[in-house]
Amino acid sequence: ALVGVLDTTTGRISFASAGHPSPVRVESGQAHELPVPPGPPLGVQHCHYKDHEFRLDRGCVMMFTDGLVERRGTPLDERLELLETSLRASPNNEPGPVADLIIDAMTAGDRSSDDIVVLTAGRRRRTLLTRQAARPPNGPVPDTAGCPHSVV
């Protein structure tokens, strides 16, 4: 699990991880991993998960399940490089277009036996913009616009 809380007023975002890949900040043609070291998987043992804080000014942050980058028979480094290249090629930093681009780029001509979920979030005029993209689609995007703190 990866849990994130974004303060849409200040742009402060904090994450804690129980084994999922670290989130990525997408901004001005750049893609930067936000290092969130994983704690133990949920339910394995009682533990306290450490929060890791970052700031989101412009652009968006993207979270994803490991099914996006892991493919049997393909080195993980190759898939991570494809993800980074695709994020840098994004024509804009808005959450919706970034999610659509990444789902298309990472699944083109490819079948995965694992779940694939991408969640993007960004700040704009003190509101949170969210976009969920998944194959297959699993319902409407929750309306969180205007919430000063949103869990993503």
Side-chain angles (χ1 to χ4, degrees):
L2 179 68
V3 175
V5 178
L6 172 62
D7 182 323
T8 60
T9 303
T10 66
R12 194 177 100 207
I13 189 165
S14 61
F15 290 100
S17 175
H20 268 235
S22 291
V24 178
R25 179 176 31 223
V26 182
E27 184 177 86
S28 302
Q30 302 280 327
H32 300 284
E33 178 183 13
L34 301 177
V36 180
L42 294 175
V44 171
Q45 65 187 23
H46 178 75
C47 73
H48 176 76
Y49 294 92
K50 185 176 190 291
D51 288 340
H52 301 274
E53 292 190 6
F54 305 94
R55 184 162 177 84
L56 182 63
D57 291 320
R58 292 171 297 190
C60 69
V61 64
M62 183 186 81
M63 296 142 284
F64 56 95
T65 58
D66 57 3
L68 183 70
V69 293
E70 292 178 352
R71 291 294 180 280
R72 192 168 281 160
T74 303
L76 181 58
D77 287 346
E78 284 181 25
R79 297 287 298 169
L80 290 171
E81 186 175 320
L82 175 60
L83 174 62
E84 184 177 352
T85 301
S86 300
L87 284 167
R88 280 198 234 138
S90 179
N92 69 52
N93 301 324
E94 293 297 316
V98 168
D100 291 341
L101 176 112
I102 292 305
I103 288 287
D104 290 344
M106 298 300 290
T107 61
D110 199 19
R111 291 188 59 86
S112 173
S113 60
D114 200 355
D115 65 307
I116 298 174
V117 177
V118 172
L119 174 68
T120 55
R123 290 179 62 204
R124 186 169 66 183
R125 291 185 301 275
R126 300 178 58 174
T127 63
L128 173 70
L129 303 175
T130 62
R131 170 75 179 220
Q132 290 180 335
R135 295 259 163 93
N138 57 350
V141 176
D143 180 12
T144 57
C147 298
H149 288 83
S150 295
V151 176
V152 293

